[in-house]
Amino acid sequence: MAKEGISVSIQTVYNIINVDESGELRCHRRHPDFRRRPKVEHKPTKATNIPNRTSIYDRPAEADSKRFSDFEMDLIVDAYGHAILVLLERMTGIVMMEKLPYGKRVKPLSKAVVRMLYAYRKYLKTITTDNGSEFAAHLDITAGLRIKGLDDVTVYFADSYCSWQKGTVENVNKLISQYIPQKSQIFGKESVGLGEKCRFVSIFYTYIDK
């Protein structure tokens, strides 16, 4: 089509899929049941469950996938309260995952984040996440990654019900969930082979702009 001078936008393709009443086209999508929700205007969230919360509106514009060192953070939680911590670097798409033996407990989670990012703390700029109470110890993350003489790594919080504000890690979570269904028990017998499944969606390497 391109050789014939015809171009079709991505949105046009999705519109054709969504109006197909037979569902035949939708079944070939990676996420067959997903429908894009229209974005509506939201007022900045003032979450009371996050002490000293820093809003995403205070995040520098450079953090919008334009440089290495800006991360998004989220949890995948199974039906039994167990959790996988997911960290994603916005520019390169690096994904780091770790099973959390203490589930959504605040202090162990913050320690896990520091441990996973500690080797890169010299280059880190920002971390963006949602308003889940499990991220309430964000100041511990900032303190754990602090290097004297460098700017602190600030954790920024998206608005409530605005998942697109950290859409990259949300999309990765959907991919992960295809291999680790949320109804399965992450830490039980059904989690055998989890390492192999994680390896498919995880990339561990260091990107340093020298």
Side-chain angles (χ1 to χ4, degrees):
M1 295 178 64
K3 293 181 179 180
E4 297 175 2
I6 301 174
S7 62
V8 179
S9 70
I10 294 176
Q11 188 58 53
T12 298
V13 174
Y14 278 110
N15 289 342
I16 295 172
I17 293 173
N18 289 332
V19 299
D20 175 32
E21 297 181 357
S22 70
E24 183 178 353
L25 295 178
R26 191 176 299 114
C27 71
H28 294 289
R29 294 176 56 181
R30 178 172 290 281
H31 308 292
D33 298 326
F34 174 74
R35 284 181 177 271
R36 189 177 300 277
R37 297 179 181 177
K39 295 182 180 180
V40 296
E41 184 178 354
H42 284 264
K43 295 181 179 180
T45 298
K46 296 181 179 179
T48 58
N49 62 320
I50 308 291
N52 301 304
R53 175 184 179 275
T54 304
S55 171
I56 192 172
Y57 295 100
D58 296 323
R59 191 179 70 180
E62 294 82 7
D64 190 18
S65 306
K66 298 176 182 178
R67 64 183 182 185
F68 174 80
S69 65
D70 298 294
F71 279 76
E72 293 182 2
M73 174 170 65
D74 205 358
L75 284 185
I76 298 176
V77 183
D78 69 10
Y80 303 88
H82 303 127
I84 294 176
L85 173 64
V86 182
L87 295 167
L88 179 140
E89 201 284 316
R90 291 169 58 84
M91 188 188 80
T92 61
I94 296 173
V95 177
M96 298 179 179
M97 299 167 56
E98 181 170 310
K99 293 186 290 186
L100 301 178
Y102 298 101
K104 297 170 65 175
R105 287 175 56 183
V106 175
K107 291 294 184 179
L109 185 148
S110 65
K111 290 180 180 179
V113 175
V114 171
R115 184 176 64 255
M116 293 170 70
L117 295 178
Y118 193 79
Y120 315 104
R121 67 193 188 283
K122 180 179 178 181
Y123 309 97
L124 296 179
K125 302 295 184 184
T126 68
I127 300 174
T128 302
T129 190
D130 57 39
N131 296 289
S133 58
E134 60 269 21
F135 301 119
H138 62 97
L139 293 182
D140 290 349
I141 296 174
T142 298
L145 297 173
R146 181 172 291 141
I147 296 180
K148 186 177 181 179
L150 298 180
D151 292 337
D152 281 347
V153 180
T154 303
V155 179
Y156 295 92
F157 292 87
D159 291 329
S160 298
Y161 311 109
C162 295
S163 58
W164 64 83
Q165 292 180 344
K166 56 180 185 68
T168 309
V169 74
E170 292 284 348
N171 288 334
V172 167
N173 285 350
K174 291 173 185 175
L175 175 60
I176 295 170
S177 295
Q178 288 188 287
Y179 299 89
I180 312 172
Q182 289 187 342
K183 291 184 179 180
S184 66
Q185 187 172 355
I186 294 174
F187 288 87
K189 295 180 180 178
E190 297 178 35
S191 68
V192 174
L194 178 58
E196 288 71 21
K197 295 175 182 178
C198 287
R199 205 171 299 122
F200 177 77
V201 293
S202 301
I203 304 173
F204 297 87
Y205 66 93
T206 307
Y207 175 94
I208 300 176
D209 185 6
K210 298 181 179 179

